[in-house]
Amino acid sequence: MNDPEYTHQARWDEPLITELINTGKRCYIPKRFQYDKDIAIPDNLLRKTELRLPEVSELELVRHVVRLSQMNYGVDLGPVPLGSCTMKYNPKVNETLVRYPEFSMQHPLQPEETVQGTLKAMYLLGEALKSLTGFTGITLQPAAGAHGEFTGVLLIRAYHMLNGETKRDEMLIPDSAHGTNPASSVMAGFKAIEIPSDEKGRIDLEALESALSERTAGMMITNPNTLGIFESNIMDINKKIHDAGGLVYLDGANFNGIMGVAKPADMGFDVMHINLHKTFATPHGGGGPGSGVVLVNDKLKQFLPTPIISYDKEKDKYYFDYNISHSIGHVHGYHGNIAVILRALAYIARMGGEGLREACLTAVTNANYLMHKVMHEDGLELPQDPSIPRKHEFVVSASPLLRETGVSALDIAKRLLDYKLHAPTIYFPLIVHEALMIEPTETEPLSILNEMADAIKNILKEAKENPELLHEAPHTVAGYRLDEATLAKHPILSAKMLEKIKPQWEL
Amino acid sequence: MALEKPYYSLLGVSPQERKKMLEEIGVSDVMELFSDIPPKVILKESPTLPFDPMTELELVEFFNELANKNVNPNDLTVFLGGGVRQIYVPALIDELIRRGELYTAYTAYQPEVSQGILQLLFEYQSLVAELTGMEVVNASMYDWSTATAEAALTAIRITKKDTLVVASPLTKARKSVIHNYLEPQGFKVREVSLEENSPLVDLEKLKAAIDDNTAAVYLEMPNAMGYLDPRAKEISELAHDVKAKFIVGVDPLSLGLVAPPGEYGADLVVGEGQPLGNAVNFGGPLLGIFAFNYDRKEIRRTPGRLIGITKQLKSGKKGFTITLQAREQHIKRAKATSNICSNEALSAVISAIYLSALGPRGMEELSTGLHKRALFLREKLAETGKVEIMYPEIPFFADFAVKFPVENHEKFISTMVSKGFVPGAPWDYNNELYVLGVSELHDKQHIEAFANTLKEVL
């Protein structure tokens, strides 16, 4: 096991780059262009205020970023078992492939004949994802999962509008859903109606039935849900919603739990998004860019954003297809996060259909294995029936530990950082108190799963012996706990604000 | 299972390990773990994809084939702008951004192990604040279009009014994005028509369009056709007279030369950050800039992540963390200011490095260089005697509009492509009109060769 006394991150006293101004130094010097005539912009439109950007040499800038990188943690350093985030390993070759100038240098307004390779890649990704999900239409525009949700519920809205069903303004959402679901629904003009879960962590069928009405536009379901539990009644649920005149949206955040094993379209879903930065191994980038492509069945194809990518077999030509009868238009300025789409295609090409299924089987094995290693530990409890197999993730509650020792899920998460591990998702889903939501993914080796289990067990022991140690954790990484309360009250969000406020602490 | 399966390199657990693990938890067949899925939807075998599993080198060969179906960028001079632009990415950027500690990281919800990327994002916020002349910049939106729509929604929440007045010609895509974000919640977009023979809105009609329902007035500087509106300050006052917010959309590459929106009264600034160090990548990932001035109450109505600086409790030293999360979807759910979760963080980090690399003089040289290339291009096009230069009196930054005397535009474009040039893009509402843009890649020779080719073709 990792020694929690060891230092696991560098601690550099790295100044803000914004402090390094007025030095006269240069780093990147733009290519010159000799043209002796004057600029042709009137004086009142020219910059008057001094532009206070840093002045550093190339070496100084490189050191600055390398040092800061040493104060950051990612999958390349250790596991990031965040539930519902699917932090897989990001294959290195993909990073090289997307940087080919033939891909990276193309402007989105270029004529189709100059970008046939990129269009083919976009088309192939679409076809592969259709095969995996059973859907018949796809848009690649959404730049993130939540953007995909928004797009998907806009499609549902367009469907009801076309059918003259303008009163359908309610979107049903289980209480275990990601926060993006209700937020996306509201942005698409719906009221978010919360549906409780039953004691098994699944959608409460009675509650669902009583919520369905002529105002139901649809339901957003995460399946497997955020407890890692598959909604076994899904066909029944989807039928009930359809019978009430609604459509069903699948939040594909957890697609890794069923990929290659079952197709969402076969379960009766009408539309789903897929987070390419989760299931298809593209990097998360410290928060983005991701991609939230949206797949639909025949009911919704005619509403997809324009253009889609089509293939003319006769001319062997890939093209932007604007021929969508009731398109909602655009949700992105261009065609989506192409460099992410290329990485996802590269991943799929390497795995093949067979490999993707194996990835799912392994991810689910890893999650259930780790769950069995920790669920009986004193201090933790499994909030739902242990006989239900989990899918790619599981949730345990640290409520017993909190009652007994005052050590919270937050403290466990922070202490895990001292063990050279990343914390799981905590306090989510909201229906579980002191939740620890753990998703190891299929790319983590057995040795790491065992390390995680050992670390959790050790922390539970530490909680009883020395709770103070945990309240103050982490101790061995670049940062200590931060004064978040003062910051929220008096935010300092830029160097400019910092200069005005001049805090008393050490910069 | 045979060992030659190419995908084994991307699985952490071998088949024999998996078997042992399953035994240990009392499962004899891995499919038992899927026993809760209705059997009729369980696939008997893996789905068929357009390709079989590939080894790494096979994958490289597959991508070489795809790449070769694209034009070699060295063989094509592209005169396209419109927010996104071809750029040269300085070598240090790729070297730094490929550090796994940065690009394989999750969102910094555990700030103690994420100080690196948090500081870089704070630096992004600080540098773009300098560039735009605002105080606060969020840690990114998806792109210029979605940032504009979210800025309009922010203004609507703050002013409790319901209409966005658009004071610039918009691309069809941006107009559609704004519509899709505003219309479902019952908010309105009012467009103002252009002056005759001008790429700028009719000021009298704009005045008539602004009223007590106006939540915000939106102006692009430069606009989608490349032009700067000399009446920006006046338009800002028109907005403020009715207590509406003034939202300005910018091409950040212009801001080493052109006045930052903070100088002429902007309340919110949006824009496309891609050309600040991010390869154009066929239009994505992009980087939505979202900036504003600090106000205790109003900031709580804004979307997106914000990184703040504070002290570390134990050491007393500076530290960084995501703050004001109570506006976001994971806390506020249906009442959140936006649904945004994943953003374009790594693109923002790239922009922070790029702006630091440029420094003030580099930024000024870059802006001025682009503007001068555009002037030179316009001069050479005029000299052909065949190209009609549109709106010669209106100032522009790095893009401008022309008319080519051709009947068959499709044929004209493909002829020019076959000779190695993309002659701008037809304007969305009038394909007689082309918008041309320049980039740092362009030399005088490219521009002269382009003009000479036009002389031959036209």
Side-chain angles (χ1 to χ4, degrees):
Chain A
M1 189 171 55
N2 299 307
D3 188 338
E5 304 287 310
Y6 267 51
T7 297
H8 290 134
Q9 268 188 334
R11 277 189 189 135
W12 294 96
D13 259 339
E14 197 55 21
L16 278 168
I17 196 88
T18 49
E19 290 169 33
L20 308 175
I21 52 173
N22 295 324
T23 68
K25 280 184 265 199
R26 299 298 303 264
C27 178
Y28 180 67
I29 299 173
K31 189 166 87 166
R32 287 164 293 189
F33 188 84
Q34 294 300 331
Y35 180 69
D36 296 333
K37 296 201 181 144
D38 278 343
I39 53 170
I41 296 173
D43 191 59
N44 70 323
L45 291 180
L46 294 178
R47 174 180 275 276
K48 304 286 188 306
T49 39
E50 187 198 350
L51 181 55
R52 293 181 313 164
L53 296 181
E55 292 187 324
V56 291
S57 70
E58 194 168 317
L59 173 60
E60 284 173 295
L61 183 54
V62 168
R63 279 191 186 145
H64 177 68
V65 182
V66 171
R67 286 173 177 175
L68 288 178
S69 78
Q70 293 192 335
M71 293 161 61
N72 217 59
Y73 183 97
V75 176
D76 282 359
L77 282 165
V80 183
L82 290 162
S84 280
C85 300
T86 315
M87 292 296 286
K88 299 185 182 192
Y89 167 67
N90 311 127
K92 299 306 149 200
V93 66
N94 298 4
E95 295 306 307
T96 302
L97 297 174
V98 299
R99 286 172 172 85
Y100 284 2
E102 288 86 346
F103 296 123
S104 71
M105 289 295 283
Q106 312 292 357
H107 191 287
L109 297 177
Q110 274 174 227
E112 285 162 358
E113 69 242 46
T114 65
V115 286
Q116 284 295 301
T118 298
L119 292 178
K120 182 177 180 182
M122 293 163 77
Y123 179 81
L124 283 178
L125 178 77
E127 293 306 298
L129 294 179
K130 284 182 203 169
S131 299
L132 282 169
T133 59
F135 288 113
T136 53
I138 185 167
T139 173
L140 305 177
Q141 277 184 34
H147 201 201
E149 291 172 20
F150 175 61
T151 305
V153 288
L154 280 181
L155 298 176
I156 292 177
R157 182 169 181 273
Y159 171 88
H160 291 310
M161 299 283 260
L162 186 70
N163 293 337
E165 300 237 39
T166 49
K167 283 191 188 136
R168 294 194 177 270
D169 64 349
E170 292 182 350
M171 190 60 71
L172 312 184
I173 298 169
D175 56 3
S176 61
H178 303 115
T180 48
N181 289 182
S184 300
S185 298
V186 167
M187 285 177 75
F190 295 108
K191 289 187 190 72
I193 310 289
E194 196 170 273
I195 306 296
S197 303
D198 66 15
E199 76 286 351
K200 291 197 159 176
R202 293 173 171 145
I203 294 166
D204 186 318
L205 287 182
E206 274 174 41
L208 169 64
E209 268 167 34
S210 62
L212 287 169
S213 74
E214 67 286 350
R215 291 187 61 182
T216 303
M219 182 159 189
M220 298 182 84
I221 299 177
T222 307
N223 195 22
N225 67 23
T226 58
L227 295 158
I229 293 175
F230 190 85
E231 299 283 353
S232 293
N233 295 319
I234 194 61
M235 324 271 284
D236 204 20
I237 291 170
N238 289 349
K239 182 165 185 306
K240 283 189 195 336
I241 297 162
H242 286 146
D243 287 349
L247 296 182
V248 204
Y249 184 97
L250 173 63
D251 180 330
N254 292 346
F255 189 51
N256 212 42
I258 54 170
M259 175 172 62
V261 171
K263 296 182 183 185
D266 294 346
M267 300 172 199
F269 288 103
D270 299 293
V271 44
M272 80 179 287
H273 81 266
I274 289 181
N275 306 71
L276 297 183
H277 51 290
K278 297 180 182 177
T279 316
F280 294 96
T282 76
H284 204 291
S291 172
V293 303
V294 170
L295 292 125
V296 297
N297 62 15
D298 286 342
K299 287 183 218 167
L300 292 174
K301 262 168 102 170
Q302 56 178 326
F303 306 103
L304 281 174
T306 46
I308 56 169
I309 317 296
S310 294
Y311 176 54
D312 182 335
K313 216 170 173 182
E314 222 163 272
K315 293 185 188 150
D316 185 24
K317 187 178 179 247
Y318 298 87
Y319 65 100
F320 287 122
D321 190 348
Y322 288 86
N323 186 20
I324 300 170
S325 57
H326 297 91
S327 169
I328 59 165
H330 294 253
V331 294
H332 186 265
Y334 294 98
H335 309 298
N337 283 348
I338 306 302
V340 179
I341 285 160
L342 288 171
R343 287 178 176 94
L345 177 68
Y347 172 73
I348 293 175
R350 225 166 139 192
M351 301 298 283
E354 187 186 317
L356 293 173
R357 184 179 166 109
E358 284 302 309
C360 168
L361 301 183
T362 305
V364 171
T365 304
N366 279 3
N368 281 283
Y369 175 83
L370 185 55
M371 180 175 87
H372 278 263
K373 286 263 167 183
V374 299
M375 69 186 196
H376 299 299
E377 289 303 309
D378 191 19
L380 298 181
E381 66 188 7
L382 200 61
Q384 278 79 26
D385 187 349
S387 72
I388 304 173
R390 273 25 178 202
K391 292 292 157 293
H392 61 300
E393 68 189 5
F394 66 96
V395 176
V396 287
S397 166
S399 280
L401 187 74
L402 182 66
R403 277 195 304 270
E404 214 180 304
T405 66
V407 168
S408 64
L410 177 77
D411 295 334
I412 297 175
K414 296 300 182 195
R415 184 59 174 160
L416 275 166
L417 306 177
D418 283 330
Y419 283 80
K420 210 170 73 182
L421 302 165
H422 194 276
T425 302
I426 46 173
Y427 302 109
F428 187 84
L430 305 176
I431 54 172
V432 176
H433 295 295
E434 298 298 313
L436 294 161
M437 185 195 199
I438 305 177
E439 178 180 6
T441 85
E442 75 280 4
T443 59
E444 290 306 329
L446 178 56
S447 57
I448 287 282
L449 302 179
N450 288 333
E451 260 179 47
M452 282 200 261
D454 290 345
I456 290 169
K457 288 178 198 167
N458 223 48
I459 290 170
L460 295 172
K461 238 184 271 162
E462 287 176 339
K464 285 168 199 159
E465 291 156 8
N466 186 1
E468 215 37 49
L469 179 78
L470 274 61
H471 294 321
E472 282 186 13
H475 304 274
T476 64
V477 297
Y480 296 106
R481 290 198 196 187
L482 294 140
D483 184 356
E484 297 184 28
T486 307
L487 180 61
K489 232 186 273 166
H490 306 286
I492 307 177
L493 305 164
S494 64
K496 219 182 249 184
M497 291 179 77
L498 183 65
E499 221 170 274
K500 265 196 209 163
I501 293 167
K502 293 200 180 63
Q504 294 308 299
W505 34 268
E506 191 185 337
L507 263 177
Chain B
M1 273 186 260
L3 281 172
E4 69 272 17
K5 301 286 186 195
Y7 51 77
Y8 279 177
S9 42
L10 298 179
L11 297 179
V13 173
S14 71
Q16 57 266 41
E17 282 174 325
R18 191 166 90 192
K19 197 158 165 272
K20 265 178 36 199
M21 290 161 70
L22 289 168
E23 271 165 25
E24 202 176 323
I25 62 173
V27 174
S28 56
D29 182 325
V30 66
M31 291 314 288
E32 281 175 33
L33 295 174
F34 298 86
S35 56
D36 51 345
I37 298 183
K40 69 172 166 185
V41 298
I42 295 267
L43 301 170
K44 300 284 172 290
E45 39 190 81
S46 45
T48 314
L49 298 188
F51 23 68
D52 290 326
M54 297 179 199
T55 65
E56 178 167 331
L57 181 51
E58 286 158 4
L59 175 70
V60 170
E61 286 159 359
F62 172 53
F63 265 67
N64 284 343
E65 256 174 62
L66 289 172
N68 289 336
K69 285 175 80 77
N70 279 347
V71 68
N72 181 330
N74 293 326
D75 298 338
L76 192 70
T77 306
V78 174
F79 291 103
L80 291 169
V84 307
R85 217 174 281 276
Q86 285 184 331
I87 66 154
Y88 170 74
V89 179
L92 87 166
I93 286 187
D94 265 347
E95 180 87 16
L96 293 170
I97 217 67
R98 285 186 77 164
R99 292 190 66 86
E101 299 92 330
L102 297 176
Y103 82 84
T104 73
Y106 192 69
T107 308
Y109 290 127
Q110 299 294 336
E112 298 87 349
V113 288
S114 314
Q115 285 298 298
I117 209 153
L118 284 165
Q119 179 166 341
L120 287 162
L121 287 169
F122 183 84
E123 292 177 354
Y124 161 79
Q125 295 177 176
S126 300
L127 297 170
V128 176
E130 275 296 323
L131 197 60
T132 53
M134 308 304 281
E135 285 177 316
V136 188
V137 177
N138 77 15
S140 76
M141 308 303 282
Y142 308 134
D143 71 348
W144 186 347
S145 295
T146 56
T148 305
E150 293 261 27
L153 290 175
T154 304
I156 287 165
R157 282 189 292 269
I158 292 172
T159 63
K160 300 192 170 68
K161 298 193 276 180
D162 71 355
T163 306
L164 172 73
V165 173
V166 179
S168 297
L170 300 181
T171 62
K172 274 189 184 165
R174 183 156 309 140
K175 196 191 286 188
S176 176
V177 172
I178 294 171
H179 171 87
N180 275 330
Y181 273 75
L182 265 62
E183 186 267 342
Q185 295 183 71
F187 307 131
K188 300 183 193 85
V189 183
R190 195 175 290 169
E191 289 181 74
V192 179
S193 50
L194 303 183
E195 277 175 4
E196 210 171 317
N197 285 324
S198 165
L200 307 179
V201 292
D202 186 314
L203 199 60
E204 290 313 309
K205 286 185 183 150
L206 176 63
K207 280 180 192 165
I210 297 174
D211 61 23
D212 287 340
N213 296 321
T214 307
V217 176
Y218 176 58
L219 177 74
E220 295 192 341
M221 287 282 276
N223 67 27
M225 298 166 86
Y227 295 91
L228 298 162
D229 198 324
R231 308 159 302 180
K233 179 90 184 129
E234 206 179 331
I235 294 171
S236 137
E237 282 157 11
L238 291 176
H240 292 151
D241 283 347
V242 297
K243 297 198 161 51
K245 294 290 172 187
F246 183 42
I247 305 172
V248 178
V250 293
D251 175 348
L253 289 186
S254 69
L255 296 177
L257 176 65
V258 176
E263 283 186 21
Y264 50 86
D267 301 296
L268 291 135
V269 176
V270 294
E272 182 48 66
Q274 172 266 319
L276 295 175
N278 292 277
V280 65
N281 278 321
F282 201 51
L286 300 176
L287 169 58
I289 291 174
F290 192 102
F292 50 97
N293 282 324
Y294 180 73
D295 176 276
R296 254 189 93 238
K297 282 191 185 145
E298 292 183 2
I299 196 168
R300 284 160 217 278
R301 304 281 168 269
T302 65
R305 285 185 197 124
L306 292 164
I307 314 301
I309 185 169
T310 184
K311 77 171 174 196
Q312 303 188 31
L313 290 170
K314 202 164 151 189
S315 67
K317 288 182 188 279
K318 75 169 188 288
F320 303 85
T321 185
I322 303 174
T323 188
L324 298 176
Q325 292 188 59
R327 303 164 302 118
E328 293 190 61
Q329 50 74 30
H330 59 285
I331 314 262
K332 275 283 160 67
R333 300 175 76 81
K335 294 199 174 74
T337 55
S338 168
N339 66 339
I340 193 168
C341 182
S342 285
N343 55 17
E344 311 296 303
L346 203 68
S347 309
V349 169
I350 288 174
S351 291
I353 300 172
Y354 188 69
L355 285 168
S356 303
L358 277 173
R361 281 184 289 168
M363 194 67 223
E364 195 197 331
E365 288 160 4
L366 186 60
S367 297
T368 308
L370 288 173
H371 178 59
K372 290 204 163 181
R373 284 172 175 89
L375 288 176
F376 183 72
L377 173 63
R378 192 172 68 159
E379 184 183 302
K380 290 293 144 192
L381 293 182
E383 278 173 20
T384 63
K386 292 182 174 172
V387 180
E388 185 185 347
I389 306 295
M390 304 301 292
Y391 326 123
E393 304 304 316
I394 312 289
F396 62 95
F397 166 57
D399 304 65
F400 59 91
V402 303
K403 273 186 184 168
F404 297 115
V406 290
E407 303 264 302
N408 185 337
H409 290 277
E410 221 170 286
K411 186 164 161 251
F412 166 65
I413 291 172
S414 74
T415 307
M416 290 304 292
V417 166
S418 69
K419 293 175 183 294
F421 299 97
V422 177
W427 176 236
D428 279 356
Y429 308 92
N430 172 0
N431 59 14
E432 299 277 292
L433 218 59
Y434 285 66
V435 178
L436 279 77
V438 295
S439 78
E440 190 194 350
L441 308 178
H442 296 145
D443 288 321
K444 276 188 169 170
Q445 296 90 298
H446 294 118
I447 292 169
E448 282 161 347
F450 176 52
N452 289 336
T453 306
L454 282 172
K455 269 193 255 177
E456 283 166 31
V457 170
L458 293 174

PDB file of all heavy atoms in Angstrom, chain B residues 283-297:
ATOM      1  N   GLY B 283     -13.118  23.581 -36.682  1.00  0.00           N
ATOM      2  CA  GLY B 283     -14.192  24.258 -35.951  1.00  0.00           C
ATOM      3  C   GLY B 283     -14.522  23.671 -34.594  1.00  0.00           C
ATOM      4  O   GLY B 283     -15.585  23.954 -34.035  1.00  0.00           O
ATOM      5  N   GLY B 284     -13.623  22.894 -34.016  1.00  0.00           N
ATOM      6  CA  GLY B 284     -13.886  22.436 -32.658  1.00  0.00           C
ATOM      7  C   GLY B 284     -12.814  21.479 -32.172  1.00  0.00           C
ATOM      8  O   GLY B 284     -12.300  20.714 -32.968  1.00  0.00           O
ATOM      9  N   PRO B 285     -12.444  21.565 -30.889  1.00  0.00           N
ATOM     10  CA  PRO B 285     -13.000  22.407 -29.840  1.00  0.00           C
ATOM     11  C   PRO B 285     -12.770  23.897 -30.090  1.00  0.00           C
ATOM     12  O   PRO B 285     -11.723  24.290 -30.589  1.00  0.00           O
ATOM     13  CB  PRO B 285     -12.234  21.989 -28.578  1.00  0.00           C
ATOM     14  CG  PRO B 285     -11.598  20.696 -28.905  1.00  0.00           C
ATOM     15  CD  PRO B 285     -11.441  20.646 -30.375  1.00  0.00           C
ATOM     16  N   LEU B 286     -13.760  24.676 -29.671  1.00  0.00           N
ATOM     17  CA  LEU B 286     -13.627  26.132 -29.677  1.00  0.00           C
ATOM     18  C   LEU B 286     -13.501  26.582 -28.223  1.00  0.00           C
ATOM     19  O   LEU B 286     -13.286  25.771 -27.326  1.00  0.00           O
ATOM     20  CB  LEU B 286     -14.848  26.739 -30.374  1.00  0.00           C
ATOM     21  CG  LEU B 286     -15.030  26.293 -31.831  1.00  0.00           C
ATOM     22  CD1 LEU B 286     -16.310  26.869 -32.418  1.00  0.00           C
ATOM     23  CD2 LEU B 286     -13.834  26.708 -32.682  1.00  0.00           C
ATOM     24  N   LEU B 287     -13.633  27.859 -27.993  1.00  0.00           N
ATOM     25  CA  LEU B 287     -13.470  28.386 -26.631  1.00  0.00           C
ATOM     26  C   LEU B 287     -14.363  29.612 -26.488  1.00  0.00           C
ATOM     27  O   LEU B 287     -14.053  30.673 -27.038  1.00  0.00           O
ATOM     28  CB  LEU B 287     -11.994  28.769 -26.389  1.00  0.00           C
ATOM     29  CG  LEU B 287     -11.675  29.561 -25.122  1.00  0.00           C
ATOM     30  CD1 LEU B 287     -12.106  28.807 -23.875  1.00  0.00           C
ATOM     31  CD2 LEU B 287     -10.182  29.874 -25.042  1.00  0.00           C
ATOM     32  N   GLY B 288     -15.461  29.442 -25.803  1.00  0.00           N
ATOM     33  CA  GLY B 288     -16.380  30.565 -25.598  1.00  0.00           C
ATOM     34  C   GLY B 288     -15.888  31.477 -24.496  1.00  0.00           C
ATOM     35  O   GLY B 288     -15.757  31.063 -23.345  1.00  0.00           O
ATOM     36  N   ILE B 289     -15.585  32.718 -24.883  1.00  0.00           N
ATOM     37  CA  ILE B 289     -15.169  33.711 -23.886  1.00  0.00           C
ATOM     38  C   ILE B 289     -16.420  34.314 -23.254  1.00  0.00           C
ATOM     39  O   ILE B 289     -17.387  34.619 -23.964  1.00  0.00           O
ATOM     40  CB  ILE B 289     -14.332  34.816 -24.556  1.00  0.00           C
ATOM     41  CG1 ILE B 289     -12.977  34.244 -25.008  1.00  0.00           C
ATOM     42  CG2 ILE B 289     -14.145  36.013 -23.627  1.00  0.00           C
ATOM     43  CD1 ILE B 289     -12.142  35.231 -25.812  1.00  0.00           C
ATOM     44  N   PHE B 290     -16.394  34.464 -21.936  1.00  0.00           N
ATOM     45  CA  PHE B 290     -17.542  35.044 -21.230  1.00  0.00           C
ATOM     46  C   PHE B 290     -16.976  35.934 -20.121  1.00  0.00           C
ATOM     47  O   PHE B 290     -16.448  35.451 -19.129  1.00  0.00           O
ATOM     48  CB  PHE B 290     -18.423  33.940 -20.640  1.00  0.00           C
ATOM     49  CG  PHE B 290     -19.758  34.419 -20.142  1.00  0.00           C
ATOM     50  CD1 PHE B 290     -20.908  34.211 -20.896  1.00  0.00           C
ATOM     51  CD2 PHE B 290     -19.871  35.083 -18.925  1.00  0.00           C
ATOM     52  CE1 PHE B 290     -22.153  34.655 -20.437  1.00  0.00           C
ATOM     53  CE2 PHE B 290     -21.101  35.534 -18.466  1.00  0.00           C
ATOM     54  CZ  PHE B 290     -22.255  35.310 -19.219  1.00  0.00           C
ATOM     55  N   ALA B 291     -17.060  37.265 -20.330  1.00  0.00           N
ATOM     56  CA  ALA B 291     -16.444  38.219 -19.390  1.00  0.00           C
ATOM     57  C   ALA B 291     -17.464  39.254 -18.939  1.00  0.00           C
ATOM     58  O   ALA B 291     -18.406  39.566 -19.661  1.00  0.00           O
ATOM     59  CB  ALA B 291     -15.263  38.910 -20.075  1.00  0.00           C
ATOM     60  N   PHE B 292     -17.239  39.807 -17.758  1.00  0.00           N
ATOM     61  CA  PHE B 292     -18.159  40.839 -17.246  1.00  0.00           C
ATOM     62  C   PHE B 292     -17.477  41.595 -16.118  1.00  0.00           C
ATOM     63  O   PHE B 292     -16.392  41.220 -15.676  1.00  0.00           O
ATOM     64  CB  PHE B 292     -19.471  40.204 -16.754  1.00  0.00           C
ATOM     65  CG  PHE B 292     -19.293  39.037 -15.810  1.00  0.00           C
ATOM     66  CD1 PHE B 292     -19.367  39.207 -14.442  1.00  0.00           C
ATOM     67  CD2 PHE B 292     -19.035  37.753 -16.308  1.00  0.00           C
ATOM     68  CE1 PHE B 292     -19.205  38.129 -13.570  1.00  0.00           C
ATOM     69  CE2 PHE B 292     -18.864  36.666 -15.448  1.00  0.00           C
ATOM     70  CZ  PHE B 292     -18.951  36.858 -14.078  1.00  0.00           C
ATOM     71  N   ASN B 293     -18.138  42.656 -15.678  1.00  0.00           N
ATOM     72  CA  ASN B 293     -17.595  43.386 -14.540  1.00  0.00           C
ATOM     73  C   ASN B 293     -18.206  42.858 -13.255  1.00  0.00           C
ATOM     74  O   ASN B 293     -19.343  42.394 -13.232  1.00  0.00           O
ATOM     75  CB  ASN B 293     -17.848  44.886 -14.694  1.00  0.00           C
ATOM     76  CG  ASN B 293     -16.852  45.493 -15.678  1.00  0.00           C
ATOM     77  OD1 ASN B 293     -15.687  45.090 -15.728  1.00  0.00           O
ATOM     78  ND2 ASN B 293     -17.318  46.426 -16.474  1.00  0.00           N
ATOM     79  N   TYR B 294     -17.427  42.946 -12.194  1.00  0.00           N
ATOM     80  CA  TYR B 294     -17.866  42.353 -10.935  1.00  0.00           C
ATOM     81  C   TYR B 294     -18.980  43.160 -10.289  1.00  0.00           C
ATOM     82  O   TYR B 294     -18.891  44.373 -10.146  1.00  0.00           O
ATOM     83  CB  TYR B 294     -16.695  42.238  -9.950  1.00  0.00           C
ATOM     84  CG  TYR B 294     -17.128  41.619  -8.646  1.00  0.00           C
ATOM     85  CD1 TYR B 294     -17.414  40.258  -8.592  1.00  0.00           C
ATOM     86  CD2 TYR B 294     -17.315  42.386  -7.506  1.00  0.00           C
ATOM     87  CE1 TYR B 294     -17.864  39.672  -7.420  1.00  0.00           C
ATOM     88  CE2 TYR B 294     -17.756  41.814  -6.318  1.00  0.00           C
ATOM     89  CZ  TYR B 294     -18.034  40.457  -6.290  1.00  0.00           C
ATOM     90  OH  TYR B 294     -18.485  39.875  -5.139  1.00  0.00           O
ATOM     91  N   ASP B 295     -20.026  42.447  -9.924  1.00  0.00           N
ATOM     92  CA  ASP B 295     -21.080  43.028  -9.101  1.00  0.00           C
ATOM     93  C   ASP B 295     -21.559  41.908  -8.194  1.00  0.00           C
ATOM     94  O   ASP B 295     -21.842  40.798  -8.655  1.00  0.00           O
ATOM     95  CB  ASP B 295     -22.235  43.520  -9.987  1.00  0.00           C
ATOM     96  CG  ASP B 295     -23.402  44.039  -9.160  1.00  0.00           C
ATOM     97  OD1 ASP B 295     -24.245  43.212  -8.718  1.00  0.00           O
ATOM     98  OD2 ASP B 295     -23.468  45.255  -8.955  1.00  0.00           O
ATOM     99  N   ARG B 296     -21.629  42.209  -6.921  1.00  0.00           N
ATOM    100  CA  ARG B 296     -21.932  41.185  -5.903  1.00  0.00           C
ATOM    101  C   ARG B 296     -23.175  40.358  -6.234  1.00  0.00           C
ATOM    102  O   ARG B 296     -23.206  39.157  -6.049  1.00  0.00           O
ATOM    103  CB  ARG B 296     -22.158  41.874  -4.549  1.00  0.00           C
ATOM    104  CG  ARG B 296     -21.023  41.686  -3.578  1.00  0.00           C
ATOM    105  CD  ARG B 296     -21.387  42.197  -2.216  1.00  0.00           C
ATOM    106  NE  ARG B 296     -21.942  41.106  -1.411  1.00  0.00           N
ATOM    107  CZ  ARG B 296     -23.139  41.111  -0.848  1.00  0.00           C
ATOM    108  NH1 ARG B 296     -23.915  42.149  -0.994  1.00  0.00           N
ATOM    109  NH2 ARG B 296     -23.558  40.102  -0.127  1.00  0.00           N
ATOM    110  N   LYS B 297     -24.213  41.057  -6.689  1.00  0.00           N
ATOM    111  CA  LYS B 297     -25.465  40.341  -6.950  1.00  0.00           C
ATOM    112  C   LYS B 297     -25.465  39.741  -8.350  1.00  0.00           C
ATOM    113  O   LYS B 297     -25.871  38.610  -8.547  1.00  0.00           O
ATOM    114  CB  LYS B 297     -26.637  41.305  -6.817  1.00  0.00           C
ATOM    115  CG  LYS B 297     -26.991  41.575  -5.381  1.00  0.00           C
ATOM    116  CD  LYS B 297     -28.318  42.314  -5.291  1.00  0.00           C
ATOM    117  CE  LYS B 297     -28.597  42.690  -3.846  1.00  0.00           C
ATOM    118  NZ  LYS B 297     -29.277  43.978  -3.752  1.00  0.00           N
TER     119      LYS B 297
END
